[in-house]
Each structure stands twice: as structure tokens, then as C-alpha cells.
Amino acid sequence: MVKRYLYFLISLFISSVGVALVTKTVLGTSPISSVPYVLSLFTPLSIGGWTAVFNMLYIILEVALMSRSQIREKRMDLIMQIPVSVLFGVFIDVSLRMLFWWAPGHYLSHVATLVVGCGILAFGIAMSVQANVAMLSGDYLIRVISSRFKKEFGRVKICFDVSLVAAACLISLAFSSTVSGVREGTVAAALMVGPMVFLFGRLLRPLTPWLEGRDKALSVVEAADREVHAPVITITREYGSGGRELGHRLAEKLGIKCYDSELIALAASESGFSEVFVETKEQSLSPEELAVQIFQNYDVAIEHSEAGADRLFLAQSRVIRRIAATEPCVIVGRCADYVLADLPQDSVVSIFCYTDPEHALERAVGSYGLDRDGAEQTIRERNESRVRHYQHFTGRRWGDPHNYQLMVNTGSVSVATAVDLIAALYAEKQT
């Protein structure tokens, strides 16, 4: 925890440097800082001071929107926001003083400073998310609103940011009859920071084991039980490769249970979502949903997120951990290879099932009942969706042979042969 808090303090200061640089461009600042920035232009209080004031107001709003039981349960989260808010305000003012010498001249230098500032801000946010010890009040307020009114986090964040920018414009008009402090840089920051955080977050993942203090860390999954009582087989598969058939036939041969569609009901019970929602969203992430995750849900650790896809992934992961802790079984899909990746090697047999396009098309038409004309597109779209989902939640490359103990090409070997191969590997694990 000492490492985490020091890491978080460093991230907070780095973020403040990013805010200071963006502010120095005079092209406008990020939406969350727009109101404090505009007020600092027309009042004696600095942008750091106004940032602290507004963060305190956000905390008051959080308390007003939460029930008494929620306040008791989350009291440490609320208390921690107070020193964080003050520190962040102080750090912003310190950063501005440190950068007193930097005064961009022509427009291109302003743009370059904006890009660098957004990058530094994104790096700091990525570090703070990885530290996962506290949240800035603005982000926490969005989470509270999302939970209270049962709205998607991304949509609430968009409305919140737009409201802040509109308020900043109105305040500027009231003081000077012109719009100051809100310009193209405000829009650019809103669009750039999210993807940058996403990229930096993936680059920083190798630090997670050091930060969490163990050799192998599963940073986004809250383990239900660290002890596995029998080997578990996970099957990651391409669409049309017969991975589902392989899993069921393998479980039948070994006399153990296969978890496939059964996980839908279990995940629905764990998460509170309907089974229809789980079935639709569990292993797919559309480009639109991924964009919302990156652009509007980047600054919240996944276990604190109110986004449906995040909550579903965590719920399903907990279910998989509990199953793996109680019985030998086969688990098809659901990123199970990653969810169980921190367990001893003799506790998990991870398989990747793939095939060539011709055999995938043949199976999709003959076994899945797809129309031949649209089957190729369906196969491509399903696999692309699985790639997006897997890489977004795990940070690993889907189908990378280094992540699996056995790669099975069902275009070259029959499912029956694959079953025998995996059964032999499974028996070897038990000796």
C-alpha cells in the first residue's frame, strides 16, 4: 500500500503538469478544468485553488446523492477525496509556477504544447488508475450519478463534460461578454486524452506485479479463491473452429463438467444483469462500445467502473474463479485463460482452437446453419469482436501462442484427435 500511495502521488503531480501545460497554450483546457480555469481568469483565486473548491463541491454533491448506508460503506473513499483534492489543486499551481518560463509563440507551438500536455496528463491518469487507491472527485461524482440514476457511465460523463464546458462559457460571458478559456483545445483535450490513457495503461501493465507485490498479478479480477483443487481446462476459440464441440466432447471423455452457456445464468445472477444482456454482451465489444470505453471511461479502474461491459466482465471472472476453486471442469471462452492466469501451471490447461478459412466456412454452414453467402462476413465479424473484447480486458494479444499450453488446428486434425491430445495433457498435469 505504501508503494501504491507513493505511485498515486507521483501520478497526481504528473497529471497536474499536464493540466498546466494545456493551460499554458491558451487554446482552452480540458472539460473538467474548464470552469476553474475560466474563474481564475476573472478572480484573484488561482486555477489550483478553484480546482480544490470545485472538488469539495463535488464531494458534497456525492454525499447528497448517496444513501446513508452507501455513505457508511464508502466513507473512506469520500474521506480520501479531501486531501487528494487539495493536493491536486496545490500541484497545479506549483506546476504553473515551474513552467513560468514556457510561453508558446506562434500557433503551431501552442498546438504542440497542447499535444504534449495531453500526453503528460494521460500518462498521469493511467498511473493513477493503475495505483487504484483513490479517485478525483469529478470522476467519483460521475460514478455516483451513474449508479444513482442507473445510467451508463460513458453517457453520464459526456453530459457532465458538456455541462462544465457550457457553464464555463456562461461564466466567461457574464464576466467579459466574450468566451474566454474555452477554445479548440478544450475539444481536442476531450478527444485525445482518452485514447492516450488507454495506450499508456497497456504500456504500464508490466509494472502491475511490482506494484501489487507478487510475482504474477491479475490486476483487474478480484479473486474468489486463490486455491484451485483440480486442473481446469480453458478453451479460447476462433468462430467456426469447433471449440465449443471440442469442449463438450472433452468434458464427456474426462467425466467432468463443461461450462459454456451455463455461465450466462451464473454471470447474470452475479452481476444483476438479465440473461439476455449477458448473452448479447459477454464476449463481444462493438467498435462503438470500445470507443465509449476508451474515450469516456478511461480514468476509472475497472473494478470501480459503472460501465455495463466492465461490470459484466468482473462478474463473469468471479464466477470462473469460484468454479475453478471447487471442481475440475472445462470452461469455453470468456477470457478464462486470462482470468486464471495467475494460478499454478499445473492447475490450468489453456487451449487455443483455430482453423483455416475453408474449414471455418464449412462448419459455419454445415453445423451452425449459416447462409453461405453471409457466412464469411459473420465469421470475420465474430472473430474481430472477440479480438476487441479479449485485448481490451486483458491487454494481451488474442491467439498469441505464448499465452496457451496447446494450439489446436481443427482444420488439420479432427476434433476427436484434439480431444485425445488434450486429455493426455490433462492426465499429465494430474501426475
Side-chain angles (χ1 to χ4, degrees), residues 202-247:
R202 296 183 67 175
L203 291 173
L204 288 170
R205 274 180 176 164
L207 291 177
T208 300
W210 168 81
L211 197 60
E212 296 197 349
R214 57 181 188 267
D215 293 334
K216 204 172 185 181
L218 191 63
S219 61
V220 300
V221 177
E222 184 180 311
D225 190 340
R226 287 290 173 187
E227 182 182 357
V228 172
H229 303 293
V232 172
I233 300 171
T234 69
I235 298 180
T236 307
R237 80 277 189 222
E238 288 184 346
Y239 187 79
S241 67
R244 176 174 280 115
E245 178 189 353
L246 174 62

mmCIF file of all heavy atoms in Angstrom, residues 202-247:
data_model
loop_
_atom_site.group_PDB
_atom_site.id
_atom_site.type_symbol
_atom_site.label_atom_id
_atom_site.label_comp_id
_atom_site.label_asym_id
_atom_site.label_seq_id
_atom_site.Cartn_x
_atom_site.Cartn_y
_atom_site.Cartn_z
ATOM 1 N N ARG A 202 -1.889 0.269 -21.188
ATOM 2 C CA ARG A 202 -1.357 -1.013 -21.659
ATOM 3 C C ARG A 202 0.165 -1.060 -21.519
ATOM 4 O O ARG A 202 0.732 -2.105 -21.179
ATOM 5 C CB ARG A 202 -1.764 -1.235 -23.115
ATOM 6 C CG ARG A 202 -3.270 -1.362 -23.303
ATOM 7 C CD ARG A 202 -3.657 -1.642 -24.734
ATOM 8 N NE ARG A 202 -3.216 -2.953 -25.151
ATOM 9 C CZ ARG A 202 -3.510 -3.506 -26.331
ATOM 10 N NH1 ARG A 202 -4.236 -2.831 -27.194
ATOM 11 N NH2 ARG A 202 -3.078 -4.702 -26.649
ATOM 12 N N LEU A 203 0.830 0.065 -21.768
ATOM 13 C CA LEU A 203 2.290 0.104 -21.638
ATOM 14 C C LEU A 203 2.737 -0.060 -20.187
ATOM 15 O O LEU A 203 3.806 -0.613 -19.915
ATOM 16 C CB LEU A 203 2.830 1.426 -22.200
ATOM 17 C CG LEU A 203 2.727 1.619 -23.722
ATOM 18 C CD1 LEU A 203 3.152 3.034 -24.106
ATOM 19 C CD2 LEU A 203 3.587 0.600 -24.454
ATOM 20 N N LEU A 204 1.905 0.408 -19.251
ATOM 21 C CA LEU A 204 2.274 0.357 -17.834
ATOM 22 C C LEU A 204 1.938 -0.972 -17.163
ATOM 23 O O LEU A 204 2.340 -1.206 -16.018
ATOM 24 C CB LEU A 204 1.572 1.496 -17.078
ATOM 25 C CG LEU A 204 2.091 2.912 -17.347
ATOM 26 C CD1 LEU A 204 1.148 3.948 -16.731
ATOM 27 C CD2 LEU A 204 3.502 3.090 -16.785
ATOM 28 N N ARG A 205 1.207 -1.836 -17.854
ATOM 29 C CA ARG A 205 0.777 -3.090 -17.224
ATOM 30 C C ARG A 205 1.920 -3.961 -16.700
ATOM 31 O O ARG A 205 1.750 -4.642 -15.695
ATOM 32 C CB ARG A 205 -0.093 -3.881 -18.194
ATOM 33 C CG ARG A 205 -1.551 -3.448 -18.117
ATOM 34 C CD ARG A 205 -2.422 -4.218 -19.071
ATOM 35 N NE ARG A 205 -3.818 -3.839 -18.884
ATOM 36 C CZ ARG A 205 -4.784 -4.093 -19.746
ATOM 37 N NH1 ARG A 205 -4.496 -4.724 -20.865
ATOM 38 N NH2 ARG A 205 -6.014 -3.728 -19.514
ATOM 39 N N PRO A 206 3.095 -3.985 -17.350
ATOM 40 C CA PRO A 206 4.191 -4.780 -16.779
ATOM 41 C C PRO A 206 4.594 -4.363 -15.370
ATOM 42 O O PRO A 206 5.232 -5.136 -14.645
ATOM 43 C CB PRO A 206 5.347 -4.549 -17.777
ATOM 44 C CG PRO A 206 4.670 -4.249 -19.074
ATOM 45 C CD PRO A 206 3.442 -3.458 -18.687
ATOM 46 N N LEU A 207 4.245 -3.137 -14.951
ATOM 47 C CA LEU A 207 4.584 -2.678 -13.598
ATOM 48 C C LEU A 207 3.618 -3.214 -12.545
ATOM 49 O O LEU A 207 3.897 -3.102 -11.349
ATOM 50 C CB LEU A 207 4.570 -1.146 -13.539
ATOM 51 C CG LEU A 207 5.684 -0.410 -14.296
ATOM 52 C CD1 LEU A 207 5.471 1.093 -14.194
ATOM 53 C CD2 LEU A 207 7.049 -0.790 -13.756
ATOM 54 N N THR A 208 2.499 -3.787 -12.981
ATOM 55 C CA THR A 208 1.483 -4.221 -12.029
ATOM 56 C C THR A 208 2.001 -5.236 -11.020
ATOM 57 O O THR A 208 1.721 -5.119 -9.822
ATOM 58 C CB THR A 208 0.254 -4.779 -12.781
ATOM 59 O OG1 THR A 208 -0.281 -3.749 -13.603
ATOM 60 C CG2 THR A 208 -0.815 -5.238 -11.798
ATOM 61 N N PRO A 209 2.765 -6.286 -11.430
ATOM 62 C CA PRO A 209 3.275 -7.228 -10.428
ATOM 63 C C PRO A 209 4.119 -6.560 -9.350
ATOM 64 O O PRO A 209 3.993 -6.875 -8.163
ATOM 65 C CB PRO A 209 4.111 -8.215 -11.264
ATOM 66 C CG PRO A 209 3.521 -8.135 -12.629
ATOM 67 C CD PRO A 209 3.098 -6.694 -12.795
ATOM 68 N N TRP A 210 4.969 -5.605 -9.760
ATOM 69 C CA TRP A 210 5.779 -4.880 -8.771
ATOM 70 C C TRP A 210 4.884 -4.056 -7.849
ATOM 71 O O TRP A 210 5.089 -4.020 -6.636
ATOM 72 C CB TRP A 210 6.765 -3.958 -9.488
ATOM 73 C CG TRP A 210 7.439 -2.978 -8.560
ATOM 74 C CD1 TRP A 210 8.506 -3.220 -7.750
ATOM 75 C CD2 TRP A 210 7.057 -1.616 -8.335
ATOM 76 N NE1 TRP A 210 8.814 -2.082 -7.037
ATOM 77 C CE2 TRP A 210 7.946 -1.084 -7.371
ATOM 78 C CE3 TRP A 210 6.057 -0.800 -8.850
ATOM 79 C CZ2 TRP A 210 7.866 0.223 -6.917
ATOM 80 C CZ3 TRP A 210 5.980 0.507 -8.399
ATOM 81 C CH2 TRP A 210 6.868 1.010 -7.463
ATOM 82 N N LEU A 211 3.881 -3.426 -8.418
ATOM 83 C CA LEU A 211 3.006 -2.552 -7.647
ATOM 84 C C LEU A 211 2.159 -3.349 -6.675
ATOM 85 O O LEU A 211 1.892 -2.916 -5.555
ATOM 86 C CB LEU A 211 2.099 -1.763 -8.603
ATOM 87 C CG LEU A 211 1.400 -0.522 -8.062
ATOM 88 C CD1 LEU A 211 2.408 0.496 -7.577
ATOM 89 C CD2 LEU A 211 0.503 0.083 -9.131
ATOM 90 N N GLU A 212 1.734 -4.548 -7.088
ATOM 91 C CA GLU A 212 0.870 -5.360 -6.243
ATOM 92 C C GLU A 212 1.653 -6.270 -5.315
ATOM 93 O O GLU A 212 1.076 -6.955 -4.473
ATOM 94 C CB GLU A 212 -0.087 -6.172 -7.115
ATOM 95 C CG GLU A 212 -1.042 -5.282 -7.915
ATOM 96 C CD GLU A 212 -2.220 -6.048 -8.451
ATOM 97 O OE1 GLU A 212 -2.195 -7.294 -8.380
ATOM 98 O OE2 GLU A 212 -3.164 -5.410 -8.929
ATOM 99 N N GLY A 213 2.993 -6.338 -5.525
ATOM 100 C CA GLY A 213 3.818 -7.054 -4.569
ATOM 101 C C GLY A 213 3.763 -8.554 -4.684
ATOM 102 O O GLY A 213 3.924 -9.268 -3.707
ATOM 103 N N ARG A 214 3.518 -9.079 -5.908
ATOM 104 C CA ARG A 214 3.595 -10.519 -6.091
ATOM 105 C C ARG A 214 4.126 -10.800 -7.487
ATOM 106 O O ARG A 214 4.098 -9.948 -8.356
ATOM 107 C CB ARG A 214 2.244 -11.186 -5.888
ATOM 108 C CG ARG A 214 1.122 -10.681 -6.769
ATOM 109 C CD ARG A 214 -0.145 -11.441 -6.411
ATOM 110 N NE ARG A 214 -1.228 -11.139 -7.336
ATOM 111 C CZ ARG A 214 -2.132 -10.201 -7.157
ATOM 112 N NH1 ARG A 214 -2.057 -9.436 -6.080
ATOM 113 N NH2 ARG A 214 -3.101 -10.004 -8.009
ATOM 114 N N ASP A 215 4.600 -12.023 -7.688
ATOM 115 C CA ASP A 215 5.278 -12.353 -8.935
ATOM 116 C C ASP A 215 4.364 -12.291 -10.145
ATOM 117 O O ASP A 215 4.773 -11.901 -11.222
ATOM 118 C CB ASP A 215 5.905 -13.752 -8.840
ATOM 119 C CG ASP A 215 7.045 -13.769 -7.831
ATOM 120 O OD1 ASP A 215 7.631 -12.700 -7.609
ATOM 121 O OD2 ASP A 215 7.323 -14.833 -7.281
ATOM 122 N N LYS A 216 3.126 -12.705 -9.953
ATOM 123 C CA LYS A 216 2.210 -12.724 -11.090
ATOM 124 C C LYS A 216 0.896 -12.130 -10.636
ATOM 125 O O LYS A 216 0.256 -12.647 -9.734
ATOM 126 C CB LYS A 216 2.013 -14.174 -11.565
ATOM 127 C CG LYS A 216 1.591 -14.263 -13.027
ATOM 128 C CD LYS A 216 1.610 -15.711 -13.448
ATOM 129 C CE LYS A 216 1.314 -15.827 -14.945
ATOM 130 N NZ LYS A 216 1.310 -17.228 -15.376
ATOM 131 N N ALA A 217 0.472 -11.048 -11.241
ATOM 132 C CA ALA A 217 -0.704 -10.327 -10.775
ATOM 133 C C ALA A 217 -1.826 -10.388 -11.785
ATOM 134 O O ALA A 217 -1.614 -10.279 -12.975
ATOM 135 C CB ALA A 217 -0.339 -8.865 -10.504
ATOM 136 N N LEU A 218 -3.042 -10.573 -11.276
ATOM 137 C CA LEU A 218 -4.238 -10.475 -12.108
ATOM 138 C C LEU A 218 -4.901 -9.172 -11.706
ATOM 139 O O LEU A 218 -5.715 -9.113 -10.799
ATOM 140 C CB LEU A 218 -5.147 -11.669 -11.853
ATOM 141 C CG LEU A 218 -6.313 -11.861 -12.818
ATOM 142 C CD1 LEU A 218 -5.798 -12.115 -14.223
ATOM 143 C CD2 LEU A 218 -7.201 -12.992 -12.380
ATOM 144 N N SER A 219 -4.532 -8.069 -12.372
ATOM 145 C CA SER A 219 -4.821 -6.739 -11.866
ATOM 146 C C SER A 219 -6.285 -6.358 -11.888
ATOM 147 O O SER A 219 -6.703 -5.494 -11.138
ATOM 148 C CB SER A 219 -4.030 -5.705 -12.670
ATOM 149 O OG SER A 219 -4.408 -5.756 -14.033
ATOM 150 N N VAL A 220 -7.107 -6.957 -12.761
ATOM 151 C CA VAL A 220 -8.471 -6.482 -12.879
ATOM 152 C C VAL A 220 -9.501 -7.432 -12.306
ATOM 153 O O VAL A 220 -10.687 -7.149 -12.338
ATOM 154 C CB VAL A 220 -8.832 -6.203 -14.358
ATOM 155 C CG1 VAL A 220 -7.922 -5.160 -14.936
ATOM 156 C CG2 VAL A 220 -8.774 -7.465 -15.198
ATOM 157 N N VAL A 221 -9.083 -8.576 -11.784
ATOM 158 C CA VAL A 221 -10.048 -9.550 -11.288
ATOM 159 C C VAL A 221 -9.886 -9.748 -9.795
ATOM 160 O O VAL A 221 -8.807 -10.014 -9.298
ATOM 161 C CB VAL A 221 -9.876 -10.907 -12.011
ATOM 162 C CG1 VAL A 221 -10.835 -11.928 -11.443
ATOM 163 C CG2 VAL A 221 -10.117 -10.728 -13.495
ATOM 164 N N GLU A 222 -10.977 -9.610 -9.077
ATOM 165 C CA GLU A 222 -10.987 -9.849 -7.647
ATOM 166 C C GLU A 222 -11.179 -11.337 -7.425
ATOM 167 O O GLU A 222 -12.237 -11.892 -7.713
ATOM 168 C CB GLU A 222 -12.137 -9.065 -7.025
ATOM 169 C CG GLU A 222 -12.199 -9.161 -5.509
ATOM 170 C CD GLU A 222 -13.361 -8.357 -4.974
ATOM 171 O OE1 GLU A 222 -13.494 -7.195 -5.365
ATOM 172 O OE2 GLU A 222 -14.137 -8.918 -4.184
ATOM 173 N N ALA A 223 -10.142 -12.030 -6.951
ATOM 174 C CA ALA A 223 -10.200 -13.485 -6.852
ATOM 175 C C ALA A 223 -11.204 -13.933 -5.810
ATOM 176 O O ALA A 223 -11.270 -13.411 -4.717
ATOM 177 C CB ALA A 223 -8.819 -14.027 -6.491
ATOM 178 N N ALA A 224 -11.990 -14.946 -6.155
ATOM 179 C CA ALA A 224 -12.935 -15.518 -5.203
ATOM 180 C C ALA A 224 -12.214 -16.499 -4.286
ATOM 181 O O ALA A 224 -12.560 -16.657 -3.131
ATOM 182 C CB ALA A 224 -14.067 -16.222 -5.946
ATOM 183 N N ASP A 225 -11.193 -17.175 -4.831
ATOM 184 C CA ASP A 225 -10.464 -18.161 -4.041
ATOM 185 C C ASP A 225 -9.131 -18.397 -4.732
ATOM 186 O O ASP A 225 -9.106 -18.728 -5.913
ATOM 187 C CB ASP A 225 -11.283 -19.461 -3.955
ATOM 188 C CG ASP A 225 -10.687 -20.444 -2.954
ATOM 189 O OD1 ASP A 225 -9.502 -20.329 -2.605
ATOM 190 O OD2 ASP A 225 -11.429 -21.336 -2.536
ATOM 191 N N ARG A 226 -8.041 -18.287 -4.027
ATOM 192 C CA ARG A 226 -6.735 -18.432 -4.648
ATOM 193 C C ARG A 226 -6.316 -19.895 -4.792
ATOM 194 O O ARG A 226 -5.375 -20.199 -5.491
ATOM 195 C CB ARG A 226 -5.673 -17.692 -3.821
ATOM 196 C CG ARG A 226 -5.773 -16.184 -3.953
ATOM 197 C CD ARG A 226 -5.359 -15.720 -5.319
ATOM 198 N NE ARG A 226 -5.609 -14.307 -5.478
ATOM 199 C CZ ARG A 226 -5.478 -13.653 -6.609
ATOM 200 N NH1 ARG A 226 -5.131 -14.280 -7.702
ATOM 201 N NH2 ARG A 226 -5.713 -12.361 -6.674
ATOM 202 N N GLU A 227 -6.967 -20.795 -4.115
ATOM 203 C CA GLU A 227 -6.557 -22.193 -4.144
ATOM 204 C C GLU A 227 -7.415 -22.978 -5.126
ATOM 205 O O GLU A 227 -8.627 -23.033 -5.023
ATOM 206 C CB GLU A 227 -6.695 -22.810 -2.747
ATOM 207 C CG GLU A 227 -6.228 -24.251 -2.695
ATOM 208 C CD GLU A 227 -6.411 -24.864 -1.321
ATOM 209 O OE1 GLU A 227 -6.848 -24.123 -0.421
ATOM 210 O OE2 GLU A 227 -6.145 -26.055 -1.172
ATOM 211 N N VAL A 228 -6.784 -23.604 -6.095
ATOM 212 C CA VAL A 228 -7.507 -24.438 -7.044
ATOM 213 C C VAL A 228 -7.316 -25.897 -6.655
ATOM 214 O O VAL A 228 -6.206 -26.353 -6.407
ATOM 215 C CB VAL A 228 -6.989 -24.192 -8.481
ATOM 216 C CG1 VAL A 228 -7.590 -25.189 -9.451
ATOM 217 C CG2 VAL A 228 -7.336 -22.781 -8.914
ATOM 218 N N HIS A 229 -8.428 -26.645 -6.610
ATOM 219 C CA HIS A 229 -8.382 -28.015 -6.088
ATOM 220 C C HIS A 229 -8.157 -29.061 -7.169
ATOM 221 O O HIS A 229 -7.840 -30.197 -6.867
ATOM 222 C CB HIS A 229 -9.678 -28.310 -5.340
ATOM 223 C CG HIS A 229 -9.939 -27.339 -4.225
ATOM 224 N ND1 HIS A 229 -9.157 -27.267 -3.102
ATOM 225 C CD2 HIS A 229 -10.868 -26.368 -4.080
ATOM 226 C CE1 HIS A 229 -9.598 -26.319 -2.291
ATOM 227 N NE2 HIS A 229 -10.638 -25.745 -2.865
ATOM 228 N N ALA A 230 -8.335 -28.727 -8.429
ATOM 229 C CA ALA A 230 -8.131 -29.684 -9.515
ATOM 230 C C ALA A 230 -7.874 -28.907 -10.802
ATOM 231 O O ALA A 230 -8.281 -27.762 -10.932
ATOM 232 C CB ALA A 230 -9.363 -30.576 -9.657
ATOM 233 N N PRO A 231 -7.189 -29.530 -11.749
ATOM 234 C CA PRO A 231 -6.902 -28.826 -13.004
ATOM 235 C C PRO A 231 -8.176 -28.415 -13.742
ATOM 236 O O PRO A 231 -9.184 -29.114 -13.723
ATOM 237 C CB PRO A 231 -6.110 -29.860 -13.816
ATOM 238 C CG PRO A 231 -5.537 -30.783 -12.793
ATOM 239 C CD PRO A 231 -6.555 -30.850 -11.704
ATOM 240 N N VAL A 232 -8.097 -27.278 -14.382
ATOM 241 C CA VAL A 232 -9.202 -26.742 -15.163
ATOM 242 C C VAL A 232 -8.708 -26.551 -16.595
ATOM 243 O O VAL A 232 -7.571 -26.128 -16.813
ATOM 244 C CB VAL A 232 -9.680 -25.394 -14.584
ATOM 245 C CG1 VAL A 232 -10.700 -24.740 -15.497
ATOM 246 C CG2 VAL A 232 -10.263 -25.594 -13.193
ATOM 247 N N ILE A 233 -9.548 -26.877 -17.568
ATOM 248 C CA ILE A 233 -9.201 -26.695 -18.971
ATOM 249 C C ILE A 233 -9.941 -25.475 -19.509
ATOM 250 O O ILE A 233 -11.161 -25.382 -19.372
ATOM 251 C CB ILE A 233 -9.577 -27.932 -19.805
ATOM 252 C CG1 ILE A 233 -8.841 -29.169 -19.290
ATOM 253 C CG2 ILE A 233 -9.265 -27.707 -21.281
ATOM 254 C CD1 ILE A 233 -9.315 -30.467 -19.914
ATOM 255 N N THR A 234 -9.208 -24.522 -20.090
ATOM 256 C CA THR A 234 -9.842 -23.365 -20.716
ATOM 257 C C THR A 234 -9.661 -23.463 -22.225
ATOM 258 O O THR A 234 -8.583 -23.834 -22.695
ATOM 259 C CB THR A 234 -9.229 -22.038 -20.211
ATOM 260 O OG1 THR A 234 -7.889 -21.913 -20.703
ATOM 261 C CG2 THR A 234 -9.231 -21.983 -18.690
ATOM 262 N N ILE A 235 -10.716 -23.150 -22.946
ATOM 263 C CA ILE A 235 -10.666 -23.215 -24.401
ATOM 264 C C ILE A 235 -11.020 -21.854 -24.995
ATOM 265 O O ILE A 235 -12.149 -21.389 -24.868
ATOM 266 C CB ILE A 235 -11.618 -24.296 -24.955
ATOM 267 C CG1 ILE A 235 -11.188 -25.680 -24.443
ATOM 268 C CG2 ILE A 235 -11.642 -24.264 -26.485
ATOM 269 C CD1 ILE A 235 -12.070 -26.807 -24.925
ATOM 270 N N THR A 236 -10.043 -21.218 -25.600
ATOM 271 C CA THR A 236 -10.268 -19.996 -26.368
ATOM 272 C C THR A 236 -10.358 -20.421 -27.821
ATOM 273 O O THR A 236 -9.549 -21.242 -28.275
ATOM 274 C CB THR A 236 -9.102 -19.013 -26.179
ATOM 275 O OG1 THR A 236 -8.900 -18.807 -24.776
ATOM 276 C CG2 THR A 236 -9.383 -17.692 -26.861
ATOM 277 N N ARG A 237 -11.327 -19.885 -28.551
ATOM 278 C CA ARG A 237 -11.512 -20.427 -29.893
ATOM 279 C C ARG A 237 -11.927 -19.384 -30.909
ATOM 280 O O ARG A 237 -12.607 -18.409 -30.567
ATOM 281 C CB ARG A 237 -12.520 -21.572 -29.893
ATOM 282 C CG ARG A 237 -13.987 -21.173 -29.882
ATOM 283 C CD ARG A 237 -14.474 -20.858 -28.484
ATOM 284 N NE ARG A 237 -15.932 -20.699 -28.482
ATOM 285 C CZ ARG A 237 -16.573 -19.765 -27.811
ATOM 286 N NH1 ARG A 237 -15.906 -18.901 -27.114
ATOM 287 N NH2 ARG A 237 -17.884 -19.681 -27.848
ATOM 288 N N GLU A 238 -11.501 -19.626 -32.160
ATOM 289 C CA GLU A 238 -11.982 -18.841 -33.275
ATOM 290 C C GLU A 238 -13.396 -19.297 -33.622
ATOM 291 O O GLU A 238 -13.754 -20.461 -33.395
ATOM 292 C CB GLU A 238 -11.085 -19.022 -34.503
ATOM 293 C CG GLU A 238 -9.734 -18.366 -34.394
ATOM 294 C CD GLU A 238 -8.927 -18.511 -35.679
ATOM 295 O OE1 GLU A 238 -9.307 -19.345 -36.538
ATOM 296 O OE2 GLU A 238 -7.921 -17.791 -35.829
ATOM 297 N N TYR A 239 -14.165 -18.396 -34.167
ATOM 298 C CA TYR A 239 -15.512 -18.755 -34.602
ATOM 299 C C TYR A 239 -15.404 -19.704 -35.809
ATOM 300 O O TYR A 239 -14.666 -19.436 -36.760
ATOM 301 C CB TYR A 239 -16.304 -17.512 -34.996
ATOM 302 C CG TYR A 239 -17.759 -17.795 -35.296
ATOM 303 C CD1 TYR A 239 -18.674 -17.955 -34.269
ATOM 304 C CD2 TYR A 239 -18.199 -17.904 -36.608
ATOM 305 C CE1 TYR A 239 -20.013 -18.228 -34.537
ATOM 306 C CE2 TYR A 239 -19.537 -18.164 -36.886
ATOM 307 C CZ TYR A 239 -20.435 -18.326 -35.855
ATOM 308 O OH TYR A 239 -21.754 -18.599 -36.120
ATOM 309 N N GLY A 240 -16.104 -20.824 -35.723
ATOM 310 C CA GLY A 240 -16.074 -21.811 -36.803
ATOM 311 C C GLY A 240 -14.998 -22.865 -36.641
ATOM 312 O O GLY A 240 -14.835 -23.722 -37.518
ATOM 313 N N SER A 241 -14.266 -22.825 -35.526
ATOM 314 C CA SER A 241 -13.201 -23.807 -35.317
ATOM 315 C C SER A 241 -13.691 -25.058 -34.594
ATOM 316 O O SER A 241 -12.958 -26.041 -34.484
ATOM 317 C CB SER A 241 -12.059 -23.181 -34.501
ATOM 318 O OG SER A 241 -12.499 -22.889 -33.179
ATOM 319 N N GLY A 242 -14.917 -25.029 -34.094
ATOM 320 C CA GLY A 242 -15.434 -26.182 -33.362
ATOM 321 C C GLY A 242 -14.988 -26.227 -31.918
ATOM 322 O O GLY A 242 -15.023 -27.292 -31.290
ATOM 323 N N GLY A 243 -14.589 -25.082 -31.377
ATOM 324 C CA GLY A 243 -14.112 -25.057 -29.993
ATOM 325 C C GLY A 243 -15.166 -25.456 -28.985
ATOM 326 O O GLY A 243 -14.863 -26.118 -27.981
ATOM 327 N N ARG A 244 -16.414 -25.071 -29.239
ATOM 328 C CA ARG A 244 -17.490 -25.452 -28.321
ATOM 329 C C ARG A 244 -17.701 -26.978 -28.341
ATOM 330 O O ARG A 244 -17.821 -27.605 -27.290
ATOM 331 C CB ARG A 244 -18.780 -24.724 -28.703
ATOM 332 C CG ARG A 244 -19.982 -25.145 -27.865
ATOM 333 C CD ARG A 244 -21.215 -24.313 -28.147
ATOM 334 N NE ARG A 244 -21.140 -23.031 -27.447
ATOM 335 C CZ ARG A 244 -21.056 -21.857 -28.034
ATOM 336 N NH1 ARG A 244 -21.023 -21.775 -29.352
ATOM 337 N NH2 ARG A 244 -20.998 -20.751 -27.318
ATOM 338 N N GLU A 245 -17.741 -27.543 -29.517
ATOM 339 C CA GLU A 245 -17.875 -29.007 -29.640
ATOM 340 C C GLU A 245 -16.704 -29.706 -28.961
ATOM 341 O O GLU A 245 -16.881 -30.712 -28.247
ATOM 342 C CB GLU A 245 -17.942 -29.398 -31.115
ATOM 343 C CG GLU A 245 -18.043 -30.899 -31.342
ATOM 344 C CD GLU A 245 -17.878 -31.286 -32.808
ATOM 345 O OE1 GLU A 245 -17.822 -30.386 -33.670
ATOM 346 O OE2 GLU A 245 -17.796 -32.507 -33.078
ATOM 347 N N LEU A 246 -15.511 -29.187 -29.177
ATOM 348 C CA LEU A 246 -14.313 -29.746 -28.547
ATOM 349 C C LEU A 246 -14.443 -29.738 -27.030
ATOM 350 O O LEU A 246 -14.132 -30.734 -26.361
ATOM 351 C CB LEU A 246 -13.095 -28.930 -28.980
ATOM 352 C CG LEU A 246 -11.759 -29.271 -28.316
ATOM 353 C CD1 LEU A 246 -11.348 -30.695 -28.635
ATOM 354 C CD2 LEU A 246 -10.673 -28.287 -28.765
ATOM 355 N N GLY A 247 -14.913 -28.647 -26.467
ATOM 356 C CA GLY A 247 -15.056 -28.541 -25.020
ATOM 357 C C GLY A 247 -16.039 -29.549 -24.459
ATOM 358 O O GLY A 247 -15.753 -30.208 -23.434
#
